[in-house]
Amino acid sequence: MEKGLLGFLLVVFLTSCAMPETRTYSLHMPDPGSGASSAKTDASVAVVIDSPKYLSQPYIAYRNSPYELMISRYSKWDSSPEDIVKDGFRDALSSLGLFKNVRASDVVPSGYYRLTINLKKFERSDEGDSSFSDLALDVTLVSPEGKSLYRNTVSKRVKLADRSFLSLAKGLSGALAEGIEEVRVNVEKSLRQ
């Protein structure tokens, strides 16, 4: 009986020692600052996001080829890419001071503008000896009346120093910051017209 228990404990100990350490990564986004817009409205906006299922989970995704998507078991983001992108856009639009209220929501209240983001890529791509962070999303701004005011595809690719997930976090931080700023400027322009 004691040998069986000792054997079981030895197996559990060896198995637990063989499991890799779980690592959590986060993006570092610059503070959107107080780039307040000169054009103020009494309108509000809802940020709505849509993405493939794997981007609604916190696990890090990477590609070794265009045909295969790998999901890391032991390395993940501090929240899902969907939430990271949604919160980044919400914070950027809030800092504009253009809208009375900015909310991240799946339901758009009556009278709100709707900024829809279709997140397509938030991952690392490996090509030969090089690795890249890939961010791709479609953005559409629709007025409360249903009129399309702005539509664009944002695609950012940053070459990484190495294949580590730390490099990926740095690359995606810069790519997302650039993409958000690009959209923020265009949203402001489209509301002035």
Side-chain angles (χ1 to χ4, degrees):
M1 176 87 172
E2 283 184 28
K3 285 185 180 184
L5 181 60
L6 185 58
F8 174 74
L9 290 175
L10 181 61
V11 168
V12 169
F13 175 74
L14 291 176
T15 304
S16 66
C17 291
M19 292 178 59
E21 180 180 12
T22 300
R23 293 183 183 249
T24 303
Y25 297 88
S26 60
L27 268 58
H28 179 327
M29 302 293 293
D31 183 10
S34 58
S37 172
S38 57
K40 305 253 185 222
T41 68
D42 286 336
S44 297
V45 65
V47 179
V48 180
I49 192 159
D50 186 34
S51 70
K53 187 173 182 172
Y54 77 94
L55 293 175
S56 66
Q57 301 171 10
Y59 295 98
I60 295 176
Y62 57 99
R63 292 183 186 273
N64 292 325
S65 79
Y67 310 105
E68 183 179 26
L69 178 73
M70 308 289 288
I71 307 286
S72 175
R73 276 188 177 175
Y74 300 106
S75 296
K76 60 183 185 172
W77 300 113
D78 58 354
S79 62
S80 71
E82 190 175 272
D83 288 341
I84 292 168
V85 171
K86 183 173 28 177
D87 292 345
F89 276 95
R90 184 198 61 220
D91 294 346
L93 291 175
S94 293
S95 73
L96 262 178
L98 181 62
F99 295 101
K100 180 172 60 174
N101 186 20
V102 179
R103 79 166 42 168
S105 174
D106 291 334
V107 178
V108 180
S110 178
Y112 273 58
Y113 285 84
R114 182 180 75 232
L115 183 73
T116 304
I117 302 161
N118 182 5
L119 180 60
K120 295 180 171 186
K121 285 186 177 180
F122 192 95
E123 60 200 36
R124 187 187 80 202
S125 296
D126 300 332
E127 295 175 7
D129 292 337
S130 299
S131 291
F132 302 88
S133 65
D134 283 331
L135 172 73
L137 49 94
D138 294 329
V139 181
T140 307
L141 178 66
V142 177
S143 72
E145 298 79 30
K147 181 182 175 190
S148 180
L149 302 174
Y150 166 69
R151 180 181 302 260
N152 193 21
T153 296
V154 174
S155 183
K156 304 289 179 186
R157 181 169 240 223
V158 177
K159 187 169 183 177
L160 303 177
D162 55 46
R163 290 195 174 170
S164 71
F165 291 139
L166 180 60
S167 287
L168 177 62
K170 290 176 184 177
L172 283 172
S173 293
L176 184 57
E178 284 179 27
I180 287 173
E181 184 59 24
E182 180 181 316
V183 170
R184 187 171 90 142
V185 166
N186 287 311
V187 163
E188 186 174 7
K189 282 181 188 175
S190 67
L191 290 173
R192 286 184 185 172
Q193 296 174 353

